[in-house]
Every structure is written in structure tokens, then in C-alpha cells.
Amino acid sequence: MLEVQQLAVNYRGVRGLEPVSFRVSPGQLVGIIGPNGAGKSTLLKALLGLVPAAGGVVRYCTCPLHQQLERVAYIPQRSQIDWDYPITVWNVVMMAQTRQLGWFRSPGRAAKAIVKAALARVEMLNLRDRRISELSGGQQQRVFLARALAQQADLFLLDEPFTGVDQKTEAILLEVFEELRSQGKILLLSTHEWGQSLNQLDRLLLLNQCLIADGSPQQVMTPKNLRQAYGTHLGNPLHQDLETSFFC
Amino acid sequence: MLHFLLEPLNYEFIRNAIAIGLLVGILCPVVGSYLIVQRMALLGDVIAHCVLPGLSISFFFGIDILIGAFGSGILGAFLIAWIRSQTRVKVDAAMALTFSTFFALGVTLITVLENKLDLDSFLFGDILGVTAHDIQRTLVIASLILLVVKLFYKELLFYTFDKTGAQAIGLPIHTLYFGFMAAITLTIIASMQAVGVILVISLLVGPALTAYLLVKELHQMMMVGAVIGAIASISGVYLSYYRNLPSGPAIVLVSSSLFLLALLFSPSQGLLTQPEMVNRSARIFRRFKPAERSDSP
């Protein structure tokens, strides 16, 4: 059980996230949605203590989460990474074993087997020796998913995993999420897209500086909640289309 | 040919120059690779200028210049990090202001404290005046840094590739950052004698950047960069001996020429050898052609 109580964030003296509280049970796939700048990434980072919290507590299995980071796999937004970095697919996924191996130790046979299995699961094993700058956006996202899998974590936090990926990658992401859910893992992912993939989620947290709604996708995606989160932007025909497509 | 290579070795100052050139030629690209992949190449230049006040003060008090220069360089680096974290000032502006201030302070201190510090050799290096003690010191620094890079390679790889991810798995990123700053500062101090503070950035960045165009992984970039750095240093010393050129600039020019060669002929990323690049150049050329015609009478 992941338990968040009154977690708030200040950014350079300005409140970035009003206190939020929620609980997530094992085997739940939770989406954090909201407009750009709503604090979705900030919430994910604050859960791990990557940005200093202005108050609140985050517990996993009754202990503070930041004391058991080895149980967490975090996938940053793809835009945060320099994809021209000189590194191959294999070595990005091998980073997952950094903590498990500990200081001064090189990966052994067991670590290599874990990395290989993770790459095979996301259908990237044949590209293992490729430099990451030569991958498509979807393939890059799959490499990061493989890295998260190779961490063998219990809690998965994913920042905008669906942004700019192809259909094949989206399908693989959803399949892997489903497998992890059936293994009793907790998954939290942020997204600003309102595609059909939202229907695959057990639960949504609608966010805009504060928690506006929390519940199943049908409970959360009501015109009233959306208007509250997106404000006047909802008059935008694009949003109306998305809204219609979601409720169809 | 053999005579050409062996003749300068009759002189002790050339042997010393080659020894220190080899050491910094290997060390600089290893540390410089981390600077490049983090897009922090100019930080090397900044720290190089920031060591001057410490150098002057340690000269005045008669303490080892390593201590003063190290303290001063680290202070500069942290000042920039502090300005960046506490204000809205962008990092390039903070760097420009910090290094020029430190440099001005250093030059002022040399005058005020009446140091017998040779500013010319500090700025441009004096590889032909290297002593056995300098070589020993550089050897210790180089061995220490290379050992640390070897021991913490996987953690540094994670940190430089994905800082947020590294923090998320609980790596001590602040300690890694401090260690990294210390390594750059020590590398600069070790290289000061060879190429001087103005040109040290070239040895940090040049060979590693050349290697970046040739290989696909960080550790390969470091190894190939070290080979290129060593070649540049030694060729620079020979050029300096036979052509009577200033040695620091000669090393830098060899290093930059090698970069130019890689830029044009790298099998994977060369402007003249990579198919995609060749096509792109052809397209750009075609685009400019009509304009040329219309200009001609």
C-alpha cells in the first residue's frame, strides 16, 4: 500500500502543488492527468523526494518511501534525456542494476540475464548494440521501460510514458502494465493525453495544482471536473473532440 | 625516421616534456568526456581561470600551490552552482561573471602581494620547464583520478546520463557532483604546466570530442580520446622542438587538426563519409545553386 498524506511542494517560494492525499493498493494502475503545468511531474518527483516537499508524508508498506528507493522504478520524461549521449541500448538497461550490484562491482551473469529478459519483453533485444541516438521515440521509451523492468521494483512511477510513441510501443506499454498489475505491483503514470488508453487505467487522479478528482476514469472524466481542471481551454474544439472520443 | 624521433630525447627537458605531455594527454580526455556529455565543456575553462587567486595566495604564504589552486577552483565552481540554484540567473551568465571576477582578483593579487609568479607560464604553459617534481605530482593526480573513474564508472555513467533517474535510485548525486568538480580542478592543475590555463580547455575537450565522432560508448570515448590526447601532446612537443613553435599552442593545434579530420572522415558521422551527411550537403548545395546563378551577370 502506497500512502500519501498532505504532500505539498513549493517552488522558489511559490506553491507548486497544494497538499494532496491518496492511497494506492497493490495491483492498481493509476493515471495522473491534468493540463500542462498542473504539477503531474512534480507530484511524481515529490513522492520520491527528488524535489523537496513543503510538507506531508509518503509511506510505502508503512515505512517512508525515500528510505526504500530500491523498491521503486522511475522513468523520467523522454525530453529530460540527452539522446545524443554516447551509450548503447544494452548499457542504458544495465543501469537498472547499479543499485543492486552496489559500489565497485561489475555486472555478472545474473544481472546480464535480467537485462536480456527485460529487453526481450519490450521487443528491443535485437537492437541491444545500437546507440540510443539511432532509435525512434517509441523505441527510446521501450528502452526506458526495459530499464524499469530490470530494476525488479514493486512500485513504478512513469512520467508521460505515452508522449510521442508509436502504436506498437503503446500496445507493448499497456501489455507490460497489465502484467505488472497482475503481479500486484503499483503503477503511477502521468499523462496529458486523453486517448483510449485512459480506459485501461483503474483509477485517475485529476490534478491542477491541487487534486480535483480521484476515482475511476468514468467518475473523474466528467465535464464539471474537466472544466475545473482545464478552465476556459475546454471551449477548444480539440478538447471537445477528445472529450467526445473518450466518452464514446 | 628513428633518428628524427630519438634525437630530441637526448635532452632531459624534452624527456620531461614528453612524460608530462603523455600523462595529461591521457588524463584530460577521460575527465573531458564527462564534461562533454553533460554539456558543461565551458566549465573547464571557467575553473581554469578560477584557480589564479588561490595560486597567488599560496605563493604568498609559501604553501603548496596545489592547495591554493584547488581551493580557489572548487570555490568558483560552487559559486556558480549556488547562483544557479538560488536565483533566476542563467548558468552561462553566472559562469562568465564568476570566471572573469576570479581572474581579475588573481591578477590583482599577484600585483598586490608582489608575487614572483610568472603569469605568462601560468597562462600559456611551460612544458619545456617541467621538473621531476612536476611529473611526480601529475603522475599522482592522474593515477588517482583514473582509479576513481574506474571504481565509480557505473555510478558516474548513470549520473551523467540521467541525473533525476540517478537520484531516484538513491545515488548520492551531490557527492558525485563534488567529486566530479574536484576531478576537473585537479586535472586542470595537473595540466597547467603543459598547456596553461587558457589552452587547457582544448586538451580537455578536443581529443574527447574527436573520439565522440568515432565511437558509440562513453568508455570507448575515454580510451580513444586518451590515445588521441597522447598523440597530440607528443606530436606537439616534437613540432615545438623541430619548428621552434610555442609548445602549448602546438599541442592544441595538433589536437584541433585531429578533430577536423574526424569531423570530415569519421566512418559513422563524418561530413564527407557518412551517406546521410553527404546527401544533406548535396541538398544544401543544390539549394544555393539557383541563387548563385541569379547573382551572376
Side-chain angles (χ1 to χ4, degrees), chain B:
Chain B
M1 180 66 187
L2 202 61
H3 177 73
F4 174 87
L5 291 175
L6 292 180
E7 198 227 304
L9 298 180
N10 290 327
Y11 301 97
E12 195 190 352
F13 70 94
I14 293 285
R15 287 201 299 272
N16 286 349
I18 287 179
I20 206 157
L22 201 62
L23 285 172
V24 299
I26 291 169
L27 174 64
C28 280
V30 173
V31 176
S33 294
Y34 284 123
L35 281 174
I36 292 171
V37 296
Q38 294 184 89
R39 301 179 184 188
M40 287 165 74
L42 279 178
L43 189 69
D45 202 21
V46 172
I47 295 181
H49 285 77
C50 285
V51 300
L52 188 55
L55 212 58
S56 171
I57 292 171
S58 47
F59 236 75
F60 181 73
F61 288 109
I63 48 176
D64 194 329
I65 54 162
L66 183 68
I67 298 167
F70 182 74
S72 183
I74 288 279
L75 186 68
F78 275 90
L79 196 62
I80 293 162
W82 182 78
I83 294 175
R84 195 177 168 189
S85 66
Q86 299 298 315
T87 69
R88 288 182 183 277
V89 173
K90 297 285 179 272
V91 69
D92 56 334
M95 288 205 294
L97 192 69
T98 307
F99 95 77
S100 51
T101 308
F102 270 66
F103 196 62
L105 182 67
V107 175
T108 312
L109 281 174
I110 288 175
T111 313
V112 172
L113 302 177
E114 295 175 2
N115 281 157
K116 289 197 176 69
L117 187 69
D118 179 7
L119 196 58
D120 254 15
S121 71
F122 167 75
L123 292 178
F124 302 109
D126 182 17
I127 199 169
L128 303 180
V130 165
T131 62
H133 175 69
D134 294 328
I135 296 176
Q136 266 174 12
R137 174 203 300 258
T138 305
L139 181 65
V140 170
I141 293 178
S143 315
L144 181 76
I145 293 178
L146 294 178
L147 181 70
V148 168
V149 168
K150 169 90 182 121
L151 287 178
F152 298 103
Y153 182 77
K154 68 178 191 305
E155 287 79 13
L156 284 166
L157 181 74
F158 202 149
Y159 169 72
T160 53
F161 174 65
D162 173 13
K163 286 191 184 57
T164 321
Q167 198 183 358
I169 64 159
L171 287 182
I173 60 161
H174 299 296
T175 311
L176 289 172
Y177 181 76
F178 177 79
F180 177 59
M181 288 298 143
I184 301 172
T185 313
L186 283 173
T187 304
I188 287 167
I189 295 170
S191 320
M192 243 163 34
Q193 189 95 33
V195 285
V197 294
I198 305 272
L199 298 177
V200 66
I201 184 70
S202 182
L203 215 48
L204 278 168
V205 173
L209 206 55
T210 311
Y212 177 80
L213 295 175
L214 300 173
V215 299
K216 56 181 179 181
E217 300 230 47
L218 183 70
H219 64 274
Q220 297 165 341
M221 186 173 159
M222 290 172 168
M223 288 190 276
V224 175
V227 171
I228 295 170
I231 292 172
S233 293
I234 295 172
S235 323
V237 172
Y238 274 92
L239 264 177
S240 155
Y241 177 81
Y242 280 111
R243 297 280 165 208
N244 200 22
L245 300 173
S247 20
I251 293 172
V252 169
L253 289 176
V254 173
S255 154
S256 301
S257 308
L258 293 173
F259 170 73
L260 197 65
L261 281 178
L263 187 69
L264 295 175
F265 301 111
S266 155
S268 56
Q269 297 175 65
L271 292 176
L272 298 179
T273 41
Q274 203 225 351
E276 193 192 317
M277 293 287 189
V278 172
N279 291 340
R280 198 186 299 168
S281 313
R283 274 204 306 277
I284 293 170
F285 185 65
R286 275 200 299 276
R287 202 183 300 163
F288 281 107
K289 238 181 174 175
E292 269 176 16
R293 245 178 248 148
S294 64
D295 285 348
S296 57

